[in-house]
Amino acid sequence: MTKTCVVGAGRMGSAFARALLAEGIETRVWNRSPEKVAPLVAAGAHAPESLAEAVAASDVVIVNVIDYAAADALLRMLAVERALAGKVVVQLTSGSPRQAREAGRWAAERDIAYLDGAIMATPNFIGGAETTILYSGMRQAFERHRDVLRVFGGNGVFVGEDAGHASALDTGLLTQMWGKLFGTLQALAVVRAEGFGLEAYARYMRDFQLVVDAATDDLIARVGEGRWRGDAATLATIEAHYSAFHHLLAIGDEHGLDRALPAALDGLFKAALAAGHAADDFAALMRFIERGGVRHAA
């Protein structure tokens, strides 16, 4: 049976360890602060004194620490590095695609199989049948240890042999989440300022979500195909969007709401309009984002 080691006993690392233990998988845990390991030992985990010892006794090493710098400081210690040879490292620490690729190169040079993962869930979802974790890097390692990885989330997906792809997807998906959360905060500020009930807003938002989802799907398709121009299938031109967007600016000014978010969006709209894109599809704004700012777009 595969032997595992979890490096990092924070909320997420502990969730991984508990999921492994629940499946009867032999698990070692290591953390800089030993007191965090005690509850996991009580649940059946082993806690070697040194990280090198924990790694040497394991086949798969799961890493979840604060950042890549912390992970590198641990994994690149000479004794640990030597113990990792021939084993699999599953890096589940958040980082950038560049950091993931660099870690993958470091691992390959030392005969270490490497997978970089992106956890699309909070700790309480770990172990769930629908929980998604994205993996990229060495496909062979993913296939060989699929049963272990499935313990963390039933929807574990391999997204590519480029070690940076999981992180890139993670950032893209989180960006959409942040966009929705920040947009919701701005919307609630408007609703509260106008004295409208939040429960009613939530109900009408659910009704409107079908329209938002359809517009999002259309946007993704248009950007993928490079269809910037307004056409018969355009849902709303940039000019039409901006006409409605004025209301957000006006209400915000009337009630003294923070202008940071609306102002950023207003800048994109104005740049596109100034460049002659009034009759183009909303997707044309992508050209302004990709070219490093509105000053460089045309």
Side-chain angles (χ1 to χ4, degrees):
M1 182 177 287
T2 302
K3 299 176 182 178
T4 64
C5 171
V6 177
V7 181
R11 290 185 63 219
M12 187 65 79
S14 294
F16 288 137
R18 291 187 184 280
L20 291 166
L21 292 168
E23 291 296 317
I25 297 173
E26 185 174 323
T27 303
R28 287 162 179 79
V29 292
W30 189 91
N31 192 79
R32 283 187 181 274
S33 304
E35 63 271 14
K36 288 189 176 182
V37 171
L40 300 173
V41 172
H46 303 282
E49 290 187 7
S50 73
L51 178 56
E53 182 183 351
V55 168
S58 305
D59 305 305
V60 178
V61 179
I62 298 101
V63 184
N64 183 260
V65 291
I66 188 65
D67 55 29
Y68 268 71
D72 290 347
L74 296 172
L75 300 181
R76 302 189 187 194
M77 292 188 294
L78 185 58
V80 175
E81 192 174 280
R82 287 175 175 171
L84 283 170
K87 302 181 185 297
V88 178
V89 168
V90 183
Q91 177 61 274
L92 292 174
T93 299
S94 295
S96 71
R98 178 189 59 77
Q99 289 175 312
R101 294 185 186 106
E102 195 282 326
R105 286 191 293 270
W106 167 84
E109 292 169 357
R110 289 156 180 81
D111 189 32
I112 302 167
Y114 183 81
L115 286 171
D116 201 272
I119 310 161
M120 310 310 298
T122 49
N124 55 304
F125 282 95
I126 296 303
E130 304 300 323
T131 298
T132 297
I133 300 182
L134 310 176
Y135 298 95
S136 56
M138 187 174 288
R139 181 185 290 275
Q140 185 178 8
F142 175 81
E143 297 295 344
R144 181 179 179 184
H145 296 289
R146 185 190 290 268
D147 288 345
V148 171
L149 300 176
R150 189 177 288 118
V151 169
F152 303 144
N155 192 32
V157 184
F158 185 79
V159 298
E161 295 185 354
D162 183 323
H165 279 178
S167 176
L169 273 171
D170 179 46
T171 302
L173 292 168
L174 287 174
T175 298
Q176 185 177 46
M177 180 191 75
W178 290 322
K180 183 169 184 176
L181 292 178
F182 275 113
T184 300
L185 286 175
Q186 191 75 47
L188 295 180
V190 168
V191 170
R192 283 160 59 92
E194 288 291 325
F196 199 76
L198 299 190
E199 291 182 1
Y201 169 80
R203 182 173 69 252
Y204 296 128
M205 183 64 244
R206 284 192 292 272
D207 295 337
F208 186 49
Q209 193 61 45
L210 291 174
V211 177
V212 176
D213 289 344
T216 301
D217 290 342
D218 180 69
L219 178 61
I220 293 171
R222 282 182 172 273
V223 170
E225 298 165 10
R227 288 190 292 126
W228 317 119
R229 297 295 182 187
D231 54 34
T234 288
L235 301 176
T237 64
I238 289 177
E239 184 176 44
H241 274 285
Y242 193 56
S243 177
F245 184 77
H246 277 121
H247 305 316
L248 173 60
L249 297 174
I251 291 176
D253 289 344
E254 289 170 11
H255 294 285
L257 304 180
D258 186 82
R259 248 183 164 267
L261 181 58
L265 303 178
D266 189 44
L268 286 170
F269 273 124
K270 286 180 176 176
L273 293 170
H277 293 285
D280 286 343
D281 193 273
F282 187 85
L285 292 171
M286 183 69 175
R287 302 173 67 188
F288 292 78
I289 293 173
E290 286 189 327
R291 296 182 185 182
V294 296
R295 291 177 300 173
H296 302 97

